[in-house]
Amino acid sequence: MEYNNNKEIEKILEEIDISEEAPIEEPMRQYYFIKKGRAYVAELSEKLDRPLYVCVNTFGCQMNAKDSEKLLGILEQMGYKEETDENKADFVIYNTCTVRENANLRVYGRLGQLNRIKKKNPHMMIGLCGCMMQEPEVVEKLKKSYRFVDLIFGTHNIYKFAELIVTCFESERMVIDIWKDTDKIVEDLPTDRKYSFKSGVNIMFGCNNFCSYCIVPYVRGRERSRNPKDIIREIEKLVADGVVEVMLLGQNVNSYGKNLDEPMTFAQLLQEIEKIEGLERIRFMTSHPKDLSDELIEVMAHSKKICKHLHLPVQSGSTDILKKMNRRYTKEQYLLLVEKIKKAIPDISLTTDIIVGFPGETEEDFQETLDVVRKVRYDSAFTFQYSKRTGTPAAVLEDQISPEVMKDRFDRLLKEVQTISAEVCSVHKGTIQRVLVETKNDHDEHLVTGRMSNNLLVHFPGDASLIGKLVDVELKECHGFYYMGEIVS
Ligand code: 5AD
Ligand code: SF4
C-alpha cells in the first residue's frame, strides 16, 4: 500500500524524534529520514528565500512511471514543490531506462545540458536512478566523466530514497548506492499519483524469463510477487480516494503468485480485485504468451471490470528466431493462443511488441513476422529495431544484422502494422462506447479525451468537470488510431 493522504503521514511523522538514532525497521526508518530531510530543505529554502523545486524526469515504461510517482511522493513530503522545467529546479532526478541503447544515449546527452545549468546554479542537486544505474559500466562512466552528479541509486533500493537524499545533504561527495538484487518489498511509503481517477499498481517486480535480447532480468532482478492482501488493501484505499481504474503492473503478470508462501494464480488475484466495490475497470500488463492460462481467458471472458484489451508481445513470427530469443513458444503455438482468446472474447483488442533485426534474422524469418501480423490483425503494435545490450546472450551471437537491413525491415513492418491497425480500429464506427474521461484535449479546449475499454482514445465536446467520469460516447469518425465522438445522455 502507499500513502497519499497527508493527515496519515503527518500522524506518523509526529511520533518520530529525529534527535534519536534512526529506526532499523522499514518503512519507519524512511519516515525518520523524511522528517530529517524536511529540516534540510527548510534551511536551504530560508537561505534562498523561496520554496525549493524538484523536477522528476521519467524514461521508459509504466513501471518507471509508477516508481517516479513514489519518488515525487517522498520529495514532496520533504518539502519540495514539483516543477517541470529543469532550468528552475533545485533537485533534478532522472529515472532511467536501459532496455534499448538509445535510451542510454538520451540520458548522457541531457546530463551534458544539466551540467551547464548546474554551473549557474551550484546548489542544484542531480540524482540518477532506475534500470540504467544497475549496469556497472554506466556507473563507472558516471564516476569518471560526470562528477557533477550528486546521487546514484538503482532499482532495488528505491524505497531508501529519503535516506539517500539526507546522505546527499550531509555529504560533499557523490553518493552511490546500487544493490545487485533484493527479495525485499517495502510497503506503506508516500506516493504522488499523477491522475486522481486511475492508478498503476505493482503486483510483482523483476523477471525470470531471460529472453536472450533483454536486459530487464539483469537490472530488475528475480521475480517477486507482492502479497495479495497488500495489493487488495492498496486498491481499496485508491478506490476510497476516487480511483475507478487500475493498471496492474508486472514484467510478466501471468506468472504472478508462484513464489508466494501461499501460491496464487494471476487469474485468482484478478477475481479478488474484481470484488472491490467502486472499482470500475481493471487493466494489466505485460503478459507472456507462454504463461497465459486458460483460467485467465475464462476469467477475462466473464469479467465485468477487466478491460477488453490484452497486450501480448510476440517479438517475432519465426519459430527459429523465437527459439534463439528463448521465448519458449512457436509461431503456431502463439497463433493458436490468439485464436483461443478471440473465440472466448470476440471483442478483445490485441496489441503486441515486435523486434526486427534480431541476430541471424533472415528475410524468410522476417516474412514469418509479417505473416503473424496479417493473421492476428493487431489493434496496435510497438515495433523496435533490435538493440544489442551488453551482458545479454544475444549480444555475443554472430550474424548481427546491418543497420540498413534492420531499418528496411522496420519500415516495411511499420507500414503493415499501421495499415492493419487503421482497418481494425475503424470497425467500431457508429457504436456507443463507455469511456473514462482522462484529460482536456491539448489542441482544442472545447474537447475532452476519453479511453475505451479496448484502449482506443476518443475526443469529444466536453469540459473539465467530466474528467475521471465514465460516460457513453457515440463514435462518429475514425482517424486511424483514434475517434471523434459525441457524448450520449
Ligand atoms: N532490443 C530491441 N527491443 C527490445 N525490447 C526488449 N529488449 C530489446 C532489445 N534489446 C523490447 C521488447 C519488449 C519491449 C518492452 O522492449 O519488444 O517487449
Ligand atoms: Fe525482458 Fe522477456 Fe522478461 Fe519481458 S519477459 S522483461 S522481454 S526477459
Side-chain angles (χ1 to χ4, degrees):
M1 194 177 67
E2 291 146 351
Y3 287 121
N4 33 51
N5 177 326
N6 280 330
K7 268 199 210 127
E8 281 168 346
I9 293 174
E10 287 310 319
K11 223 169 102 201
I12 299 173
L13 291 176
E14 247 169 49
E15 283 163 25
I16 293 174
D17 181 356
I18 51 168
S19 64
E20 287 179 7
E21 288 270 301
I24 305 290
E25 291 285 306
E26 298 293 1
M28 285 319 280
R29 185 174 172 86
Q30 296 313 311
Y31 280 98
Y32 170 94
F33 284 107
I34 287 175
K35 192 159 178 180
K36 208 159 177 198
R38 273 188 184 180
Y40 286 117
V41 171
E43 191 185 312
L44 186 55
S45 162
E46 199 163 297
K47 210 161 107 191
L48 298 171
D49 196 24
R50 60 167 177 80
L52 295 194
Y53 295 99
V54 63
C55 176
V56 181
N57 252 320
T58 313
F59 298 78
C61 66
Q62 309 226 13
M63 211 60 115
N64 264 19
K66 175 75 194 174
D67 282 349
S68 287
E69 292 185 355
K70 297 179 190 175
L71 297 174
L72 189 60
I74 291 171
L75 287 157
E76 286 180 337
Q77 284 306 325
M78 284 187 157
Y80 283 98
K81 302 223 170 312
E82 190 184 4
E83 168 59 60
T84 47
D85 181 354
E86 287 177 356
N87 289 289
K88 296 188 191 141
D90 303 285
F91 191 166
V92 176
I93 176 139
Y94 285 178
N95 189 5
T96 63
C97 167
T98 187
V99 79
R100 284 169 292 275
E101 170 88 41
N102 52 12
N104 293 39
L105 298 177
R106 270 172 60 211
V107 169
Y108 289 125
R110 290 181 59 170
L111 274 178
Q113 291 167 19
L114 271 192
N115 190 18
R116 280 188 288 281
I117 306 175
K118 189 168 174 163
K119 283 202 175 116
K120 281 189 260 165
N121 193 4
H123 73 269
M124 180 189 206
M125 292 210 292
I126 299 173
L128 297 172
C129 65
C131 296
M132 194 176 151
M133 301 306 125
Q134 292 295 138
E135 292 181 277
E137 317 79 77
V138 169
V139 177
E140 279 315 305
K141 181 165 170 170
L142 292 167
K143 278 205 294 208
K144 217 164 117 209
S145 314
Y146 295 81
R147 295 296 313 163
F148 56 92
V149 172
D150 300 277
L151 170 63
I152 299 176
F153 60 102
T155 55
H156 301 302
N157 52 350
I158 178 167
Y159 73 86
K160 272 184 69 183
F161 188 39
E163 184 170 350
L164 293 168
I165 298 176
V166 168
T167 315
C168 266
F169 272 115
E170 292 174 350
S171 157
E172 293 285 304
R173 300 176 47 205
M174 194 187 236
V175 175
I176 304 178
D177 191 11
I178 312 277
W179 300 0
K180 267 196 139 50
D181 204 349
T182 186
D183 52 10
K184 205 168 169 142
I185 298 178
V186 178
E187 299 282 341
D188 298 339
L189 283 166
T191 188
D192 177 351
R193 283 189 282 112
K194 192 165 168 210
Y195 298 97
S196 59
F197 53 88
K198 68 169 186 176
S199 178
V201 174
N202 296 114
I203 64 164
M204 59 194 302
F205 304 94
C207 181
N208 284 355
N209 287 319
F210 291 95
C211 300
S212 64
Y213 51 82
C214 186
I215 201 159
V216 168
Y218 306 90
V219 296
R220 288 260 175 195
R222 295 293 66 71
E223 242 171 57
R224 285 148 284 145
S225 295
R226 269 179 84 194
N227 199 315
K229 286 204 186 75
D230 290 330
I231 298 171
I232 303 284
R233 199 161 59 104
E234 176 175 339
I235 300 177
E236 282 172 348
K237 200 143 183 299
L238 287 169
V239 170
D241 230 30
V243 165
V244 291
E245 178 180 302
V246 290
M247 165 77 90
L248 310 177
L249 298 171
Q251 246 80 38
N252 181 14
V253 292
N254 302 106
S255 71
Y256 172 81
K258 284 185 184 156
N259 54 1
L260 288 170
D261 292 341
E262 288 172 45
M264 177 183 208
T265 64
F266 179 53
Q268 286 167 337
L269 176 72
L270 280 171
Q271 284 170 297
E272 290 305 309
I273 295 174
E274 174 113 18
K275 288 182 199 152
I276 299 174
E277 229 168 280
L279 180 67
E280 304 271 357
R281 279 180 165 185
I282 307 167
R283 299 184 184 277
F284 55 84
M285 75 186 328
T286 288
S287 290
H288 194 304
K290 82 171 162 55
D291 296 317
L292 198 135
S293 65
D294 290 352
E295 186 196 14
L296 176 64
I297 299 175
E298 181 76 19
V299 166
M300 281 187 85
H302 294 106
S303 166
K304 298 217 160 35
K305 297 187 179 174
I306 303 174
C307 288
K308 302 287 181 230
H309 172 217
L310 194 58
H311 186 65
L312 197 60
V314 65
Q315 311 297 4
S316 168
S318 151
T319 296
D320 280 351
I321 295 293
L322 287 168
K323 189 150 201 286
K324 289 186 192 150
M325 286 178 161
N326 192 31
R327 291 290 290 177
R328 285 172 277 173
Y329 52 84
T330 62
K331 175 188 182 189
E332 288 68 33
Q333 283 167 333
Y334 184 89
L335 288 174
L336 272 176
L337 178 64
V338 166
E339 213 174 285
K340 197 154 71 176
I341 295 167
K342 284 188 172 174
K343 196 161 161 229
I345 319 164
D347 49 351
I348 190 91
S349 146
L350 286 172
T351 58
T352 200
D353 292 342
I354 303 171
I355 299 174
V356 296
F358 183 85
E361 185 188 69
T362 62
E363 178 60 26
E364 287 72 41
D365 291 320
F366 176 64
Q367 287 300 328
E368 298 277 353
T369 298
L370 286 179
D371 187 47
V372 167
V373 166
R374 290 181 192 124
K375 287 199 166 109
V376 177
R377 297 181 61 76
Y378 294 106
D379 288 66
S380 80
F382 296 101
T383 49
F384 307 105
Q385 299 187 31
Y386 168 73
S387 170
K388 185 166 153 177
R389 308 311 291 127
T390 310
T392 62
V396 292
L397 290 179
E398 286 177 7
D399 297 333
Q400 300 278 332
I401 304 298
S402 74
E404 298 74 35
V405 171
M406 188 119 76
K407 173 83 174 50
D408 173 61
R409 287 181 191 160
F410 180 82
D411 290 344
R412 283 189 282 154
L413 174 65
L414 191 64
K415 206 164 147 229
E416 193 72 43
V417 159
Q418 284 177 340
T419 311
I420 292 174
S421 157
E423 286 167 17
V424 174
C425 295
S426 70
V427 303
H428 307 288
K429 191 173 163 186
T431 62
I432 293 172
Q433 300 280 339
R434 190 125 255 244
V435 313
L436 175 58
V437 185
E438 293 195 342
T439 49
K440 279 187 74 171
N441 191 283
D442 289 340
H443 306 291
D444 184 340
E445 58 171 325
H446 305 293
L447 298 178
V448 290
T449 301
R451 194 178 293 273
M452 307 177 208
S453 169
N454 65 14
N455 216 31
L456 276 179
L457 294 178
V458 53
H459 308 294
F460 56 98
D463 60 42
S465 68
L466 289 172
I467 292 173
K469 299 215 164 75
L470 282 150
V471 294
D472 290 328
V473 174
E474 184 175 349
L475 307 182
K476 297 274 188 188
E477 279 166 49
C478 181
H479 292 249
F481 52 93
Y482 69 90
Y483 273 94
M484 300 306 294
E486 249 170 53
I487 198 162
V488 289
S489 53

